[in-house]
């Protein structure tokens, strides 16, 4: 599958999951850390069809499909947020990653 490089026009910032240990009850103490070099360009698309109805069944509010180049080491505990391409500052809310699909 090939992509047009011009389609990768949406900037997102990856928020990496960091575990700082466990509390006295055995629960993880965690936070999300953003680094400046974790801003990447990707192709964003709204979901439709079968994916839309599956997301609605789980009562998800906003579901977005992101296509990006490989090599970022993303896992399900990470999060992302959109970034203003001109200013480079984060805008909007944080999004959970519900699936990682390796293409090709």
């Amino acid at each position: 599958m090939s992509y047009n490089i011009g389609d990768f026009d949406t900037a997102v910032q990856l928020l990496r999951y960091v575990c700082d240990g466990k509390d006295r009850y055995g629960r993880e103490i965690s936070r999300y850390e953003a680094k400046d070099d974790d801003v990447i360009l990707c192709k964003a698309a709204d979901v439709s069809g079968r994916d839309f109805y599956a997301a609605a069944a789980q009562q998800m509010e906003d579901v977005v499909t992101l296509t990006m180049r490989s090599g970022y080491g993303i896992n399900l505990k990470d999060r992302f947020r959109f970034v203003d391409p001109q200013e480079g500052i984060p805008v909007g809310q944080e999004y959970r990653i519900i699936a990682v699909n390796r293409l090709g």
Side-chain angles (χ1 to χ4, degrees):
M1 179 178 285
S2 63
Y3 292 98
N4 183 1
I5 194 67
D7 292 339
F8 291 76
D9 58 353
T10 304
V12 297
Q13 182 178 37
L14 293 177
L15 304 170
R16 302 292 183 169
Y17 176 83
V18 178
C19 180
D20 292 331
K22 295 189 177 193
D23 64 6
R24 63 182 179 157
Y25 301 109
R27 295 178 298 210
E28 289 185 349
I29 300 170
S30 61
R31 59 188 164 86
Y32 291 94
E33 185 176 278
K35 296 180 183 174
D36 292 336
D37 58 344
D38 280 343
V39 174
I40 57 175
L41 291 176
C42 60
K43 176 183 172 185
D46 293 328
V47 297
S48 61
R50 186 178 357 168
D51 294 332
F52 175 78
Y53 291 111
Q58 296 180 13
Q59 298 179 349
M60 294 182 185
E61 295 178 9
D62 296 328
V63 180
V64 179
T65 300
L66 295 179
T67 303
M68 61 187 69
R69 296 178 62 176
S70 65
Y72 293 107
I74 297 171
N75 62 39
L76 295 179
K77 290 188 174 183
D78 294 336
R79 295 187 178 191
F80 74 92
R81 63 181 162 207
F82 290 103
V83 175
D84 184 328
Q86 280 80 27
E87 299 293 326
I89 56 173
V91 293
Q93 62 188 11
E94 294 180 3
Y95 288 82
R96 284 186 313 123
I97 299 173
I98 58 172
V100 177
N101 186 6
R102 310 259 188 247
L103 300 175

